Protein backbone atom coordinates (compact mmCIF):
# COMPACT_ATOMS: atom_id res chain seq x y z
CA UNK A 1 0.00 0.00 0.00
CA UNK A 2 2.76 2.45 0.87
CA UNK A 3 4.55 1.98 -2.45
CA UNK A 4 1.28 2.41 -4.34
CA UNK A 5 0.38 5.50 -2.32
CA UNK A 6 3.82 7.02 -2.96
CA UNK A 7 3.48 6.35 -6.68
CA UNK A 8 0.03 7.95 -6.77
CA UNK A 9 1.24 11.01 -4.85
CA UNK A 10 4.24 11.37 -7.18
CA UNK A 11 1.92 11.22 -10.19
CA UNK A 12 -0.45 13.72 -8.57
CA UNK A 13 2.31 16.25 -7.98
CA UNK A 14 3.75 15.73 -11.47
CA UNK A 15 0.27 16.52 -12.84
CA UNK A 16 -0.08 19.56 -10.58
CA UNK A 17 3.29 20.89 -11.78
CA UNK A 18 2.18 20.41 -15.40
CA UNK A 19 -1.12 22.20 -14.73
CA UNK A 20 0.66 24.94 -12.77
CA UNK A 21 2.78 25.67 -15.82
CA UNK A 22 -0.28 26.98 -17.64
CA UNK A 23 -1.98 28.81 -14.77
CA UNK A 24 -0.85 32.41 -15.16
CA UNK A 25 -1.75 35.12 -12.67
CA UNK A 26 -1.14 38.58 -14.13
CA UNK A 27 1.06 40.86 -12.04
CA UNK A 28 2.61 44.26 -12.81
CA UNK A 29 6.09 42.79 -13.44
CA UNK A 30 5.72 39.26 -14.81
CA UNK A 31 2.90 36.75 -15.03
CA UNK A 32 3.02 34.48 -12.01
CA UNK A 33 2.66 30.74 -12.65
CA UNK A 34 1.98 28.09 -10.05
CA UNK A 35 4.57 25.67 -11.42
CA UNK A 36 7.27 26.48 -8.86
CA UNK A 37 4.73 26.44 -6.00
CA UNK A 38 3.81 22.84 -6.85
CA UNK A 39 7.51 21.93 -7.12
CA UNK A 40 8.06 23.29 -3.60
CA UNK A 41 5.01 21.45 -2.29
CA UNK A 42 6.16 18.21 -3.92
CA UNK A 43 9.41 18.37 -1.96
CA UNK A 44 7.82 19.48 1.30
CA UNK A 45 5.01 16.92 1.26
CA UNK A 46 6.71 13.96 -0.42
CA UNK A 47 10.19 14.42 1.01
CA UNK A 48 13.51 14.59 -0.80
CA UNK A 49 13.35 11.26 -2.63
CA UNK A 50 9.75 11.23 -3.78
CA UNK A 51 9.64 14.99 -4.36
CA UNK A 52 12.56 14.68 -6.78
CA UNK A 53 10.94 11.60 -8.37
CA UNK A 54 7.72 13.53 -8.89
CA UNK A 55 9.47 16.46 -10.60
CA UNK A 56 11.59 14.02 -12.61
CA UNK A 57 8.40 12.36 -13.84
CA UNK A 58 7.09 15.77 -14.92
CA UNK A 59 10.41 16.45 -16.69
CA UNK A 60 10.41 13.03 -18.39
CA UNK A 61 6.85 13.63 -19.61
CA UNK A 62 7.99 16.85 -21.25
CA UNK A 63 11.10 15.28 -22.75
CA UNK A 64 9.08 12.52 -24.43
CA UNK A 65 6.88 15.13 -26.05
CA UNK A 66 3.86 15.61 -23.82
CA UNK A 67 2.85 19.29 -23.79
CA UNK A 68 3.79 20.01 -20.18
CA UNK A 69 6.51 22.59 -20.89
CA UNK A 70 5.81 26.07 -22.18
CA UNK A 71 9.08 25.80 -24.14
CA UNK A 72 11.26 22.87 -25.16
CA UNK A 73 14.31 21.08 -23.80
CA UNK A 74 16.39 23.33 -26.05
CA UNK A 75 14.81 26.44 -24.57
CA UNK A 76 17.09 28.55 -22.38
CA UNK A 77 14.51 28.21 -19.59
CA UNK A 78 14.94 24.41 -19.42
CA UNK A 79 17.63 24.98 -16.77
CA UNK A 80 14.88 26.01 -14.38
CA UNK A 81 13.20 22.64 -14.92
CA UNK A 82 16.47 20.90 -14.07
CA UNK A 83 16.66 23.18 -11.03
CA UNK A 84 13.13 22.10 -10.08
CA UNK A 85 14.33 18.53 -9.55
CA UNK A 86 17.16 19.63 -7.28
CA UNK A 87 14.95 22.23 -5.59
CA UNK A 88 12.28 19.67 -4.72
CA UNK A 89 15.01 17.45 -3.27
CA UNK A 90 16.38 20.33 -1.14
CA UNK A 91 12.92 21.34 0.15
CA UNK A 92 12.21 17.72 1.04
CA UNK A 93 15.59 17.24 2.70
CA UNK A 94 15.01 20.23 4.96
CA UNK A 95 11.44 19.12 5.74
CA UNK A 96 12.71 15.65 6.70
CA UNK A 97 15.54 16.85 8.93
CA UNK A 98 14.02 19.66 10.98
CA UNK A 99 11.01 20.23 13.21
CA UNK A 100 7.84 20.20 11.10
CA UNK A 101 6.57 23.79 11.33
CA UNK A 102 5.80 26.80 9.18
CA UNK A 103 9.32 28.23 9.61
CA UNK A 104 11.01 24.98 8.52
CA UNK A 105 8.77 24.62 5.48
CA UNK A 106 9.20 28.26 4.48
CA UNK A 107 12.99 28.13 4.89
CA UNK A 108 13.04 24.88 2.92
CA UNK A 109 11.11 26.65 0.18
CA UNK A 110 13.56 29.56 0.11
CA UNK A 111 16.51 27.16 -0.02
CA UNK A 112 14.85 25.28 -2.89
CA UNK A 113 14.15 28.53 -4.75
CA UNK A 114 17.82 29.50 -4.34
CA UNK A 115 18.83 26.19 -5.94
CA UNK A 116 16.35 26.70 -8.78
CA UNK A 117 17.83 30.15 -9.48
CA UNK A 118 21.40 28.81 -9.12
CA UNK A 119 20.78 26.23 -11.85
CA UNK A 120 18.32 28.14 -14.05
CA UNK A 121 20.15 31.45 -14.47
CA UNK A 122 23.56 30.07 -15.57
CA UNK A 123 21.81 27.59 -17.88
CA UNK A 124 19.80 30.43 -19.42
CA UNK A 125 22.96 32.49 -19.90
CA UNK A 126 24.92 29.69 -21.57
CA UNK A 127 22.04 28.54 -23.79
CA UNK A 128 21.38 32.12 -24.87
CA UNK A 129 25.02 32.73 -25.65
CA UNK A 130 26.05 29.43 -27.22
CA UNK A 131 22.82 28.05 -28.70
CA UNK A 132 20.91 31.19 -29.64
CA UNK A 133 23.94 33.46 -30.15
CA UNK A 134 22.44 36.16 -27.93
CA UNK A 135 24.74 37.05 -25.05
CA UNK A 136 23.05 38.72 -22.10
CA UNK A 137 24.84 41.08 -19.77
CA UNK A 138 24.95 40.72 -15.99
CA UNK A 139 22.52 43.63 -15.51
CA UNK A 140 19.97 42.05 -17.83
CA UNK A 141 20.25 38.67 -16.10
CA UNK A 142 19.94 40.28 -12.68
CA UNK A 143 16.94 42.40 -13.68
CA UNK A 144 14.89 39.86 -15.64
CA UNK A 145 15.82 36.63 -13.87
CA UNK A 146 16.29 37.68 -10.25
CA UNK A 147 14.75 41.05 -9.38
CA UNK A 148 11.56 40.84 -11.46
CA UNK A 149 10.49 37.30 -10.49
CA UNK A 150 11.68 37.57 -6.89
CA UNK A 151 8.55 39.17 -5.35
CA UNK A 152 6.34 36.43 -6.79
CA UNK A 153 8.79 33.73 -5.72
CA UNK A 154 8.86 35.10 -2.18
CA UNK A 155 5.06 34.88 -2.09
CA UNK A 156 5.26 31.28 -3.42
CA UNK A 157 7.76 30.29 -0.71
CA UNK A 158 5.59 31.70 2.06
CA UNK A 159 2.48 30.15 0.49
CA UNK A 160 4.24 26.77 0.29
CA UNK A 161 5.03 26.93 4.01
CA UNK A 162 1.43 27.85 4.83
CA UNK A 163 -0.14 25.26 2.49
CA UNK A 164 2.16 22.54 3.81
CA UNK A 165 1.00 23.33 7.33
CA UNK A 166 -2.63 23.05 6.29
CA UNK A 167 -1.99 19.79 4.44
CA UNK A 168 -0.17 18.41 7.49
CA UNK A 169 -3.20 19.25 9.61
CA UNK A 170 -5.80 17.69 7.31
CA UNK A 171 -3.80 14.91 5.57
CA UNK A 172 -1.01 13.87 7.95
CA UNK A 173 -0.66 10.44 6.33
CA UNK A 174 0.16 12.02 2.95
CA UNK A 175 3.59 13.09 4.16
CA UNK A 176 5.66 10.18 2.86
CA UNK A 177 8.74 11.13 4.89
CA UNK A 178 6.87 10.96 8.23
CA UNK A 179 6.33 7.21 7.99
Amino acid sequence: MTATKNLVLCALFAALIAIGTYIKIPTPLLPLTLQALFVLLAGLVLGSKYGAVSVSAYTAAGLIGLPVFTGSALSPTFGYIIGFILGAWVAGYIAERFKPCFMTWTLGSFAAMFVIYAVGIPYYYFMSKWYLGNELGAKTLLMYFVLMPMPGDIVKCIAAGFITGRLAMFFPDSFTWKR
Side-chain angles (χ1 to χ4, degrees):
M1 172 80 176
T2 302
T4 303
K5 186 175 185 177
N6 291 343
L7 187 61
V8 168
L9 288 171
C10 285
L12 172 68
F13 275 99
L16 287 171
I17 296 165
I19 292 166
T21 302
Y22 293 101
I23 299 173
K24 292 185 167 78
I25 301 166
T27 65
L29 297 176
L30 294 172
L32 186 74
T33 68
L34 298 182
Q35 182 181 30
L37 175 65
F38 290 129
V39 167
L40 298 173
L41 289 171
L44 295 172
V45 172
L46 302 179
S48 58
K49 178 181 173 183
Y50 291 112
V53 166
S54 178
V55 181
S56 296
Y58 159 77
T59 304
L63 290 174
I64 64 169
L66 295 177
V68 296
F69 299 156
T70 54
S72 72
L74 293 177
S75 167
T77 59
F78 186 72
Y80 289 97
I81 295 172
I82 296 167
F84 286 165
I85 298 168
L86 298 172
W89 187 89
V90 166
Y93 182 83
I94 291 171
E96 293 165 351
R97 301 291 185 284
F98 297 98
K99 178 184 173 191
C101 65
F102 173 77
M103 187 60 70
T104 297
W105 298 320
T106 303
L107 290 175
S109 296
F110 278 110
M113 196 60 73
F114 176 81
V115 169
I116 293 166
Y117 276 50
V119 174
I121 293 169
Y123 186 94
Y124 192 97
Y125 173 79
F126 287 112
M127 285 298 287
S128 281
K129 181 176 181 178
W130 301 108
Y131 182 68
L132 299 175
N134 181 21
E135 186 171 358
L136 299 173
K139 283 183 181 180
T140 303
L141 282 171
L142 179 66
M143 176 62 81
Y144 288 101
F145 299 99
V146 177
L147 297 177
M148 288 179 69
M150 191 175 289
D153 289 340
I154 289 170
V155 169
K156 289 177 204 174
C157 289
I158 294 168
F162 177 77
I163 292 168
T164 302
R166 300 304 274 180
L167 291 172
M169 188 182 328
F170 292 110
F171 304 103
D173 294 338
S174 294
F175 287 71
T176 60
W177 49 266
K178 288 176 83 173
R179 291 185 217 134

